Amino acid sequence: MTKLKSTKLPLAASLIVASALFSVGCSNDNQVKAVDRTEEAAALARVKSLEAQAQALEDGMPEANSSFAPVGDGAASTASIKMPDESTIPDDELGAAIRRGLHLVNNTYTELPDNVGNRLNCTSCHLANGSEAYAAPWNGLTGIFPIYRSRGARVNSLQERINGCFERSMNGKALDPTSDDMNAILAYMGWLSQGIPAGVSPEGRGFVEVDTNLEPNPENGKQLFAEKCSVCHGDNGQGQFKEDGGYIYPAVAGPDSFNDGAGMARTYKAAAFIKGKMPFGQGNTLSDQEAVDIAAYFTHLDRPVKANKDKDWPKGGAPKDVRR
């Protein structure tokens, strides 16, 4: 009989490991075939895995991707924002929806022209397929929504939050919340959220913080934009586009950019994105003041106007950089 290290386990876990041990059985080296050895090795590996899980249960320290992971600060510290390995996408109908969602968020303008009023994609702002920390990642969102949002002074579903982006950042029209395309985006966000316990807001959600007490200097921002931003986004923020309609670098002003009701049209919100992620590949190289100045300049360049934005924050409490 193969011997395994004795481990003191809770009753339920002990029964699980015992059942796995029973399946291993005894072997005679002179009689066991190669295939039997392979099966025995696989069974032993399963037993070791079960032992590790059982010990984790006993210690109260489950792995980050365990369904037993706790909700709270401890869970948030282990929650990871990253792009999961695409090999974990199942080879079935759900997997097809996940892949469709991934395609949609990277090709929103060309795939959903009836809903996008400019030439942006979801990943124009939500970098790295929506899975980059401090670039408004989607990891964990399916376990956080529905939530109350003060902009509309009501509880929003995740579908409503997504449609807010279509109407503001995309300067377009809402998707049918029951459509296959909406469900594909939700499926993709759910796949990104694997291993993050429901109710946990992982470290890296949103943007980095900037000092909102700083006084913006748009004239200095104009000079900094010319020095650090225009090489990609163009002299007037108009972006650089390819012949097929897609962009090389997205527009941050003009008709092909987000409207003035979008979060990115707010000075301090845009500054937080700039501070953490811009210039591209050189995040956190600007000071808070430089980021605020750049944001104050380009967010007030000409862009589409959001209808009815005066109805935002109906119960008050609007941030001071909200466009009216």
Side-chain angles (χ1 to χ4, degrees):
M1 176 70 74
T2 304
K3 294 182 179 180
L4 294 172
K5 182 179 178 181
S6 176
T7 306
K8 183 180 179 182
L9 304 173
L11 177 60
S14 299
L15 291 174
I16 294 172
V17 174
S19 67
L21 280 169
F22 181 79
S23 69
V24 176
C26 300
S27 63
N28 184 318
D29 287 345
N30 295 324
Q31 297 177 350
V32 177
K33 297 179 181 179
V35 65
D36 296 324
R37 293 187 185 281
T38 300
E39 292 175 352
E40 182 174 323
L44 285 169
R46 289 196 299 274
V47 170
K48 289 183 180 294
S49 175
L50 287 167
E51 281 188 320
Q53 293 179 39
Q55 189 62 54
L57 285 172
E58 185 178 37
D59 294 342
M61 297 177 63
E63 297 178 1
N65 63 351
S66 168
S67 60
F68 295 95
V71 175
D73 292 340
S77 66
T78 61
S80 177
I81 290 181
K82 63 180 180 180
M83 178 80 171
D85 193 310
E86 288 192 46
S87 65
T88 65
I89 298 177
D91 187 19
D92 56 15
E93 289 81 359
L94 176 59
I98 292 169
R99 294 185 185 280
R100 171 64 177 166
L102 173 58
H103 182 72
L104 284 175
V105 299
N106 280 295
N107 301 276
T108 324
Y109 164 67
T110 55
E111 288 293 314
L112 299 171
D114 293 337
N115 300 93
V116 178
N118 51 32
R119 297 172 71 179
L120 300 182
N121 301 320
C122 298
T123 50
S124 300
C125 298
H126 304 272
L127 306 180
N129 303 305
S131 63
E132 183 169 326
Y134 300 108
W138 300 316
N139 307 61
L141 288 189
T142 53
I144 294 173
F145 279 82
I147 61 172
Y148 177 84
R149 302 189 69 235
S150 58
R151 183 163 69 185
R154 60 186 299 271
V155 173
N156 284 162
S157 67
L158 186 51
Q159 291 94 322
E160 289 174 311
R161 180 67 186 91
I162 292 168
N163 274 333
C165 281
F166 273 99
E167 293 172 339
R168 296 169 186 267
S169 298
M170 302 295 191
N171 191 41
K173 299 177 181 178
L175 280 175
D176 177 347
T178 65
S179 67
D180 288 344
D181 288 330
M182 176 63 82
N183 284 332
I185 294 172
L186 291 173
Y188 174 64
M189 290 180 176
W191 176 75
L192 281 182
S193 300
Q194 60 183 283
I196 300 178
V200 168
S201 182
E203 181 67 29
R205 182 183 172 203
F207 303 132
V208 301
E209 294 184 3
V210 296
D211 186 354
T212 58
N213 294 314
L214 293 171
E215 189 67 28
N217 183 340
E219 286 303 313
N220 186 51
K222 180 178 181 179
Q223 179 177 340
L224 288 169
F225 187 92
E227 294 173 358
K228 299 179 179 295
C229 312
S230 62
V231 65
C232 294
H233 297 290
D235 293 340
N236 300 306
Q238 73 273 18
Q240 296 186 46
F241 294 87
K242 297 180 289 188
E243 291 184 2
D244 64 1
Y247 63 77
I248 303 171
Y249 297 104
V252 296
D256 294 322
S257 188
F258 46 86
N259 65 42
D260 64 355
M264 200 62 76
R266 292 168 44 195
T267 295
Y268 296 103
K269 180 70 74 174
F273 178 78
I274 294 166
K275 168 73 176 178
K277 298 300 172 183
M278 296 290 131
F280 191 68
Q282 302 174 51
N284 290 302
T285 60
L286 297 171
S287 69
D288 281 18
Q289 185 68 63
E290 289 174 323
V292 168
D293 291 350
I294 292 171
Y297 167 67
F298 85 81
T299 59
H300 289 80
L301 293 175
D302 288 342
R303 63 183 62 258
V305 175
K306 171 72 170 66
N308 301 318
K309 63 178 181 291
D310 58 306
K311 293 181 171 60
D312 291 344
W313 282 277
K315 293 186 177 180
K320 63 182 180 181
D321 58 350
V322 167
R323 303 286 291 277
R324 294 297 193 185

